Every structure is written in C-alpha cells, then in structure tokens.
Amino acid sequence: SAEQQLNNIKITITAGPTREAIDPVRYISNHSSGKMGFALAAAAVAMGADVTLISGPVQLATPIGVKRIDVTTAQQMHDAALAQATQSDIFIGCAAVADYRVAEVAGEKMKKKADSALELKLVQNPDIIASVAALTAKRPFTVGFAAETQNLLQYAKDKLARKKLDLICANDVSGTALGFNSDHNAVTLVWQHGEQALAPQPKAELAKAILQHIYAQFSAN
Ligand code: C5P
C-alpha cells in the first residue's frame, strides 16, 4: 500500500545543529531546531522505512521506531553519517552543520582581557553531504536541504550541482513563520530534470510529501 511504500528501504537522516566548542563552557552553533529532520524520520517510519536519525543537540523526543545516534560536533556527525550512508538506500542531510569550528579549542575557560578585542581563528568543517554524494561504492540516493534568505532557487540549484546531490529541498528562511524553529515549512524540490513546489503546511505533512517525491525520484534512478 501507499502507506508502506518505503518497506525494506533504509534511510539515514541528519538533523539539528552542530555545536563547536570554543572552550569548556562556550560554543558556536545556530538556530536549527531539528524539527524538519525529526518530522522526516517519523514520516519515513510510518511509511515502512528502516530509519537512522543522526542528531545534533536538540530538544526533541525520538520518534517511535527510529534508531537515533546523538552527536555534538560536525566532525562527529560526519563520521557517523559516513558509517551509516554506505549501508543506506537514501541519505537525507537535513542538519544545519556549522561550516567552521574553532582552530584550537581552549583547554580552560578563556578569561576576558581588559580593553582588548578577541580574535578566534576558525577552520572549515568537512561538508558531510558532499562526502556522502562523493562515495563511489555503496553511494545512497543523496538528498540535501538549502535554507536561504535570498535567491532561493538559484542557490539551491548551485548546491545540487556543486555537492553532486540527487535532489535538494529549497527552503526559504527569510520569514519567521516558516522554516527554522517553526512547525510549518514550505519547500521547492529541485532535481536535475525537474522541480516541484510544495505548499506551506505543517512539517509532519510536508515530510510525507517530501518522502513521496524522494521515493519517486529514487525509483526512477
Ligand atoms: O551549503 P549549505 O550549508 O547551505 O548546504 C546545506 C546542505 O548541506 C544541507 O543538506 C546540509 O545538511 C548539508 N551540509 C553538510 N555538511 C556541511 C554543511 C552543509 O552536510 N558541513
């Protein structure tokens, strides 16, 4: 049945932010709530899939039936994602991965110095989804997200090509009613030979619609 159309399909999903330490008490992160990734995981299980959810630090309960792997940093998420990806049919990168981490994490709490600015040196984190899409053996059908505040479709298409993804979910985060931290979202799906706008709706319903389109493209590949 349509309800169980993901039977025997293994899906790995990344969700939430990553957190990059500055010192033992401070970190760099972002506003990702993890809600979209968790909604995708719950919907995928309801559709019969075998789901592994790799989550950064979020305040969300694990959907029933989902295998959850908790990580903190981008490097940890990268290692967990690559290990799962080669055992998956479909990989969905929904996490808001920090692009940079602090070059040298201080071992002790940093002290404020009177009247002086502080410079932090940042180095780039690995691009997790690009690493998954670059796999030559056991490469899963690879789906990314592009959260943008401007030039949404153009940036999404650039990312689809640059990261060699099979499909990308373009997500306008310029407003406050949709996207980050909201329970509603709207996305436009873009793949090499087509695109499909999905109307604004609760993340739970949107997740199901996204998965149906992903499955259609996965099956057509
Ligand atoms: O380039 P940008 O961060 O906007 O790309 C977003 C997409 O790339 C999302 O699917 C996100 O999960 C993924 N990503 C990643 N590793 C990074 C940065 C982004 O997997 N270091």
Side-chain angles (χ1 to χ4, degrees), residues 11-150:
I11 305 187
T12 295
I13 301 169
T14 67
T18 65
R19 189 179 278 182
E20 312 297 331
I22 298 171
D23 69 15
V25 299
R26 303 184 177 96
Y27 58 81
I28 296 172
S29 191
N30 61 66
H31 289 297
S32 172
S33 64
K35 283 176 183 169
M36 191 68 239
F38 276 59
L40 282 165
V45 163
M47 292 163 77
D50 173 357
V51 181
T52 300
L53 178 61
I54 303 171
S55 182
V58 298
Q59 300 296 321
L60 296 171
T62 311
I64 289 168
V66 169
K67 283 174 233 129
R68 174 168 172 177
I69 300 173
D70 283 304
V71 297
T72 304
T73 67
Q75 188 64 55
Q76 290 167 353
M77 185 175 279
H78 174 271
D79 295 349
L82 267 291
Q84 293 300 319
T86 52
Q87 305 171 50
S88 302
D89 302 296
I90 297 172
F91 180 91
I92 307 176
C94 203
V97 183
D99 289 325
Y100 295 90
R101 67 177 179 275
V102 175
E104 283 173 60
V105 179
E108 304 293 341
K109 184 182 173 192
M110 293 167 72
K111 304 308 288 179
K112 181 161 69 180
K113 292 191 207 117
D115 304 324
S116 76
L118 171 67
E119 283 187 36
L120 281 177
K121 184 177 179 193
L122 304 179
V123 294
Q124 278 196 26
N125 274 326
D127 191 310
I128 298 167
I129 206 161
S131 306
V132 169
L135 287 169
T136 49
K138 299 183 181 169
R139 177 191 182 280
F141 186 86
T142 308
V143 180
F145 272 74
E148 305 290 348
T149 56
Q150 58 175 344

